[in-house]
Amino acid sequence: MAESKKEIYDIMPPQHYPKTELIRENIKLETVFHLLEASQIQFPFIAKPDIGLRGSAVKKVHTLEELSAYHNKANFDYLIQDLIPFEQEVGIFYVRFPGEKKGRITGIVGKEYVIVEGNGTSNLTELIKGNPRYELQLSALQREYGTQLNEILKEGEKRNLVPYGNHARGAKFIDVSHLISEKLTTVIDDICVQIPEFYFGRLDLMYHTWEDLEDGKNFSVVEINGAASEPTHIYDPKHSIFFAWKELARHITYMYKISVLNHKRGFPYLSHKEGMKEYRLHLEQSSKIVNF
């Protein structure tokens, strides 16, 4: 489904997500600069498609020149967004049935970024090649960084090359569902019950420490994914395909039951015509950002 991130942010409690500005496709670059100034979003910030796909076309922007290059290349609506100051990231899947006052967390995924550590002699390219998972991202990293990959890091110096928690961009997903607790459920519930008619989806958020997150402080929501979201803890390498199938079936069943209950409340099912229209829009948008 074509879910606009900005439309979702607009119905969320504003204190739980970073300052965000929508940039429409084809507006003048000068207008973009004015919007940036008015929003008071500071460099560096994140630019990303308003309707996204697995981290494609997400970029950390450091200068007006980089923003100009992004805008001139983007053939889609996109967002500019304050950089979240926290280093840890998780995806928390949330389910609540219509009529319930309290929901439940059904899975948590932790994320390990593409972080290399220097040895004083190897350049970034060599360090990347030293990790089979990182090496799969080498072509993309070469396009992103160019000759900067010739840099040699000092002994023990660390560099996060892809600061986005997405497995398509090299992040490793770890199932940390054992961290589900009553305290955390209360924090997530407090956010989700304030979002009109939100019953099913994954909250990707960044936080300072796990203790702070459970106390409801020092965290920020990166984005919320709705019906099209996956329980991404299934991508932990320790899990089998059978575990993934079971978890997908469990979450599809949740979504089905929620749909039936909402239908009884007067919400119509999506028609075939509407579904095909959404599917075509999805394919069109996916083609744009994957080829960005």
Side-chain angles (χ1 to χ4, degrees), residues 8-71:
I8 295 173
Y9 287 132
D10 286 345
I11 60 174
M12 287 172 53
Q15 69 272 24
H16 290 310
Y17 66 90
K19 281 187 293 186
T20 303
E21 191 72 38
L22 175 65
I23 307 298
R24 293 291 186 185
E25 180 185 353
N26 295 327
I27 69 170
K28 293 181 179 180
L29 185 59
E30 182 180 353
T31 304
V32 178
F33 292 160
H34 287 318
L35 288 170
L36 176 63
E37 183 177 4
S39 70
Q40 297 185 326
I41 293 172
Q42 303 295 315
F43 289 106
F45 58 78
I46 295 296
K48 61 184 180 182
D50 183 42
I51 300 174
L53 179 71
R54 296 185 174 88
S56 297
V58 177
K59 182 174 175 57
K60 190 175 181 180
V61 176
H62 300 83
T63 64
L64 285 175
E65 289 74 18
E66 289 185 9
L67 175 59
S68 300
Y70 190 98
H71 181 74

Side-chain angles (χ1 to χ4, degrees), residues 254-272:
Y254 286 140
M255 184 162 51
Y256 167 74
K257 290 180 178 179
I258 290 168
S259 298
V260 170
L261 289 171
N262 276 334
H263 186 65
K264 290 178 179 178
R265 295 170 63 217
F267 290 93
Y269 291 128
L270 192 70
S271 69
H272 178 267

Side-chain angles (χ1 to χ4, degrees), residues 1-288:
M1 298 292 289
E3 296 176 336
S4 164
K5 298 182 191 300
K6 186 61 168 62
E7 289 180 5
I8 295 173
Y9 287 132
D10 286 345
I11 60 174
M12 287 172 53
Q15 69 272 24
H16 290 310
Y17 66 90
K19 281 187 293 186
T20 303
E21 191 72 38
L22 175 65
I23 307 298
R24 293 291 186 185
E25 180 185 353
N26 295 327
I27 69 170
K28 293 181 179 180
L29 185 59
E30 182 180 353
T31 304
V32 178
F33 292 160
H34 287 318
L35 288 170
L36 176 63
E37 183 177 4
S39 70
Q40 297 185 326
I41 293 172
Q42 303 295 315
F43 289 106
F45 58 78
I46 295 296
K48 61 184 180 182
D50 183 42
I51 300 174
L53 179 71
R54 296 185 174 88
S56 297
V58 177
K59 182 174 175 57
K60 190 175 181 180
V61 176
H62 300 83
T63 64
L64 285 175
E65 289 74 18
E66 289 185 9
L67 175 59
S68 300
Y70 190 98
H71 181 74
N72 291 333
K73 190 175 181 182
N75 58 343
F76 46 79
D77 294 347
Y78 67 92
L79 306 177
I80 56 175
Q81 186 174 72
D82 260 341
L83 200 64
I84 296 173
F86 309 121
E87 294 186 354
Q88 309 298 324
E89 183 174 351
V90 288
I92 299 177
F93 213 102
Y94 174 85
V95 172
R96 180 167 59 94
F97 292 109
E100 286 186 332
K101 293 183 179 180
K102 189 173 182 63
R104 60 196 60 76
I105 296 173
T106 60
I108 306 177
V109 62
K111 302 176 182 183
E112 294 182 4
Y113 297 120
V114 179
I115 299 175
V116 294
E117 182 173 343
N119 56 20
T121 57
S122 301
N123 64 26
L124 288 171
T125 297
E126 292 165 337
L127 293 174
I128 292 166
K129 289 181 177 179
N131 184 306
R133 177 163 61 89
Y134 296 176
E135 190 173 14
L136 293 172
Q137 300 295 318
L138 183 56
S139 295
L141 292 171
Q142 287 171 333
R143 290 193 298 272
E144 175 84 11
Y145 291 102
T147 58
Q148 295 179 54
L149 295 184
N150 295 325
E151 181 183 353
I152 296 175
L153 300 185
K154 298 176 183 178
E155 179 82 32
E157 181 183 355
K158 294 183 178 181
R159 182 73 56 83
N160 186 347
L161 296 172
V162 187
Y164 323 115
N166 191 282
H167 65 285
R169 301 289 296 272
K172 182 180 180 180
F173 283 11
I174 308 296
D175 186 353
V176 291
S177 299
H178 63 279
L179 295 175
I180 296 172
S181 67
E182 191 65 31
K183 287 182 70 177
L184 182 63
T185 301
T186 298
V187 171
I188 301 303
D189 237 351
D190 286 344
I191 299 171
C192 294
V193 296
Q194 296 182 64
I195 303 173
E197 302 297 337
F198 178 70
Y199 301 107
F200 177 97
R202 191 188 69 247
L203 292 80
D204 294 329
L205 55 85
M206 302 186 74
Y207 63 96
H208 178 49
T209 67
W210 195 257
E211 292 73 23
D212 279 357
L213 178 57
E214 285 195 314
D215 288 337
K217 61 185 183 182
N218 295 325
F219 76 92
S220 181
V221 176
V222 179
E223 60 188 42
I224 294 181
N225 300 276
S229 57
E230 297 174 300
T232 46
H233 59 279
I234 66 175
Y235 292 115
D236 188 321
K238 73 182 180 185
H239 288 318
S240 69
I241 186 66
F242 302 105
F243 175 89
W245 287 343
K246 182 179 178 181
E247 284 296 275
L248 287 171
R250 180 166 73 102
H251 285 79
I252 290 170
T253 300
Y254 286 140
M255 184 162 51
Y256 167 74
K257 290 180 178 179
I258 290 168
S259 298
V260 170
L261 289 171
N262 276 334
H263 186 65
K264 290 178 179 178
R265 295 170 63 217
F267 290 93
Y269 291 128
L270 192 70
S271 69
H272 178 267
K273 182 179 180 180
E274 291 170 324
M276 291 306 298
K277 179 182 178 181
E278 290 287 341
Y279 180 62
R280 286 191 292 270
L281 287 172
H282 168 75
L283 293 179
E284 179 183 345
Q285 179 71 4
S286 297
S287 177
K288 288 179 179 180

